[in-house]
Amino acid sequence: MPTPTSDVIDFEKRGANGAIGLITINNPPANALSFAVVKGALEALDACLEDDGIEAVVLTGAGRMFVAGADIREFSIPRPDGVPELNAVIDACEASPKPVVAAINGIAFGGGLELAMGCHYRLISSAAQVGQPEVNLGIIPGGGGTQRLPRLAGIDAALEMCVYGKPIKAEKAGELGFADEVVEGDIVERAIAFAGEIAGRPPRRTGEQTEKLAGLDTAKLEEIREDIKKKQRGVMAPLVAVDMIEVAATRPFEEGLKAERDEFVKLRDSDQSAAMRYMFFAEREAAKIPGIGKDTAARKIEKAAIVGSGTMGGGIAMNFANAGIPVTVLDVDRGALDAGFAKVKQTYGGSVSRGRMTEAQAAERMGLIAGTTDYADLADADIVIEAALEDMDLKKKIFAVLDEACKPDAILASNTSSLDIDEIAAATDRPDKVVGMHFFSPANVMKLVENVRTAKASKESLATLMGLSKGLGKTGVMVGVGDGFVGNRMYHVAARIGEFLVEEGAMPWDVDAALYDWGFAMGPFAVNDLAGIDVRIAIREAQKSLYPGRREPVIVSRLYEMGRYGQKTGKGWYDYSEGRRGKPDPEVEALILETSKELGIERRAFSRSDIVQAYLAALANTGAHVLDEGLAIRSSDIDVIWNYGYGFPRRRGGPMFHADLVGLDKVLAKAEELHAAYGDWMKPAELLKSSAAEGGKFNDFKAG
Ligand code: NAD
């Protein structure tokens, strides 16, 4: 008989008299279930069944993983002839007349876990984890996971794992009875011995187990559904996963498998899953910077400093403390420092009272943050992040002082939202070490950091920024110096479109509701009230020289003149007298109607779709300008920025992915309309025009 070993499957006969067939998946780095693995595994299993000398089978993974999951890059490739579906292998394991033992040596996620559940017994390494994270990609398990997991681990654990995508550790798998043994030491040796012990027993098929399905709590299922609808608005996969677990508990096994398969295929082929898979890769891509490789030495950051202990400075300091890095915060006087520290303490206190950390952990983190008013105390910092006021002259002075006070190889970063960091860098003798780290508010919560590449920044400085943002648990995206970098540049253009729509006929709450219902976390007017209408006006003033002669929306200026700055004054676009959820204000409505009249505008109705299309076209067109100008490396980086910094719904990808999905010809037509209505600041980008003409996509864009 030919040996069933292949490039990705190892096969050996082990145990007494070679009676145990050991099948090892060997597809580094993650043992993903590629077409070749699936085909090879089935052939190996068939060979074991045909070989009369083999009494039981052990299935395991080479290296540190069992199987990390399906090969999602193969999702959009048709299965080659002769390659069975993964389900055929899982079913064959389950149907095998000889016992099959899974030796879960490391991570078993997705299809890997489903494969282990098709086996009759499971041994798990004490360091391993198992999970069904498919919902994160907009799909559900499609290889029986929703049907077998409740049978093996119980309904509650299956819900946690399939609906929320949370993995469990080996110990828990043992407690739940999901694993027959938790193994310390060599799991393959133990599995071979175990297989010898159970050889000859009738196989214990997962589909036939029903004890753990009793007592389905339908009220709990309803609660979970409500929770998902609230916290993951419009996301389909978790709701389908709940349904499938209900099916597992109430319908025959075969019927459940078929229902799961049908739903899996529908989700896999949906735009939503395409968007979520795209975002999964987009995040990984964002970490790759052309010209910077593993050979570029990133500096290790062991001590940090922050200038400014205000809203941003305090939040940024917490990021370092949370990562265990000591940080010194400098401000002008003790009073400012005390105010900053009080806020940090309050935020940690909130985490303690919500059970997110212990008192001791909060105290330990506070202990890592020191305060000072003396630049000499920043002398040994590896990086300084400046988060003082948004004022060019002030920042230049601060950087000149930092240049003197800090060690020569320290990196000096600014958290500015809008100023030219090249100009700031020129105030120092180390422009190669001056860069931007643009955190988002609240800085201890928001995952996004725009890492700003200045004209003279060295590769080491940039590699350090990318490494540091990752070390702080953030998603760092590299951007160039320009008006508002990437995110704010796009946001301010789209928000202006919103303001013009209000002058012409919509109400701010209509615009916000249309975008919220489409999936955004907040509409632009609610965001404006949160960030401050005074801040918006200041940005507009600062932009005047960049966009000479640009017509400005009028109503926002009126609100500013009235002192309606947003949440901080209790009134802005909305009225906050009854709390942080603002309500529409008749005074604002009257102001809007009056202003339109004054401007000679005949107000007209905008449908929700009109609003959403205009807003998204403004975003995509500005994103294309950003690419034309080389401010972002790739289109997908822009989508990552919008996902993590601006509440763009992940289930729709990002503004650039969405434009690609809609078709760039349509986006161009809308951008041309906006251009005609509002002038040159809305002119269509070259990339949009050329891609639309060629039937191309933003995602095809390559920098350089
Ligand atoms: P803030 O007013 O809350 O804090 C500024 C702090 O800087 C204050 O504590 C102030 O005392 C201190 N300060 C002023 N002059 C100083 C000096 N000469 N030396 C040292 N400290 C000084 O402001 P913020 O909202 O934290 O913004 C800080 C920076 O971050 C600005 O450049 C801003 O554009 C940028 N930023 C803000 C946000 C945001 O949402 N607030 C987001 C991203 C970036």
Side-chain angles (χ1 to χ4, degrees), residues 385-576:
I385 299 173
E386 171 277 321
L389 305 176
E390 191 75 339
D391 175 321
M392 179 55 93
D393 290 337
L394 175 70
K395 289 201 195 286
K396 280 190 190 164
K397 276 187 205 134
I398 291 175
F399 273 74
V401 176
L402 286 172
D403 198 20
E404 287 289 316
C406 297
K407 60 184 181 184
D409 59 349
I411 290 177
L412 308 180
S414 175
N415 180 49
T416 178
S417 320
S418 59
L419 300 175
D420 180 347
I421 308 180
D422 286 327
E423 193 177 332
I424 299 174
T428 72
D429 288 333
R430 60 175 97 186
D432 59 316
K433 296 188 184 69
V434 177
V435 285
M437 271 193 108
H438 184 216
F439 287 84
F440 287 71
S441 182
N444 57 313
V445 177
M446 296 291 285
K447 271 197 76 159
L448 178 66
V449 184
E450 285 182 325
N451 288 326
V452 187
R453 177 200 290 260
T454 46
K456 295 189 177 158
S458 67
K459 284 185 178 183
E460 288 69 25
S461 299
L462 299 176
T464 305
L465 285 192
M466 294 304 287
L468 174 62
S469 33
K470 190 167 175 209
L472 296 179
K474 303 281 173 185
T475 300
V477 182
M478 188 70 81
V479 301
V481 176
D483 167 30
F485 310 118
V486 171
N488 280 348
R489 159 91 168 268
M490 292 168 67
Y491 168 71
H492 288 304
V493 170
R496 283 171 70 81
I497 292 294
E499 287 165 5
F500 280 122
L501 295 183
V502 166
E503 265 180 22
E504 292 164 17
M507 283 294 152
W509 31 92
D510 298 335
V511 174
D512 280 357
L515 291 164
Y516 178 83
D517 287 348
W518 190 80
F520 275 93
M522 281 171 103
F525 293 97
V527 171
N528 195 188
D529 273 355
L530 187 63
I533 287 174
D534 52 335
V535 175
R536 177 143 183 81
I537 294 293
I539 290 168
R540 219 166 76 170
E541 286 304 305
Q543 285 181 333
K544 277 222 160 104
S545 59
L546 297 172
Y547 306 96
R550 184 169 77 169
R551 176 161 72 91
E552 300 297 351
V554 175
I555 297 161
V556 65
S557 316
R558 299 259 157 100
L559 292 175
Y560 175 69
E561 286 153 16
M562 292 161 77
R564 296 186 65 125
Y565 292 172
Q567 288 198 20
K568 61 176 103 166
T569 58
K571 284 180 175 186
W573 292 100
Y574 293 87
D575 172 359
Y576 296 91

Side-chain angles (χ1 to χ4, degrees), residues 486 488-491 493-494 547 616-629 638 656 681-683 685 688:
V486 171
N488 280 348
R489 159 91 168 268
M490 292 168 67
Y491 168 71
V493 170
Y547 306 96
L616 292 175
L619 285 181
N621 182 45
T622 315
H625 278 294
V626 159
L627 291 171
D628 276 339
E629 293 165 31
I638 298 177
M656 308 307 276
W681 62 277
M682 262 316 303
K683 72 170 183 260
L688 175 56

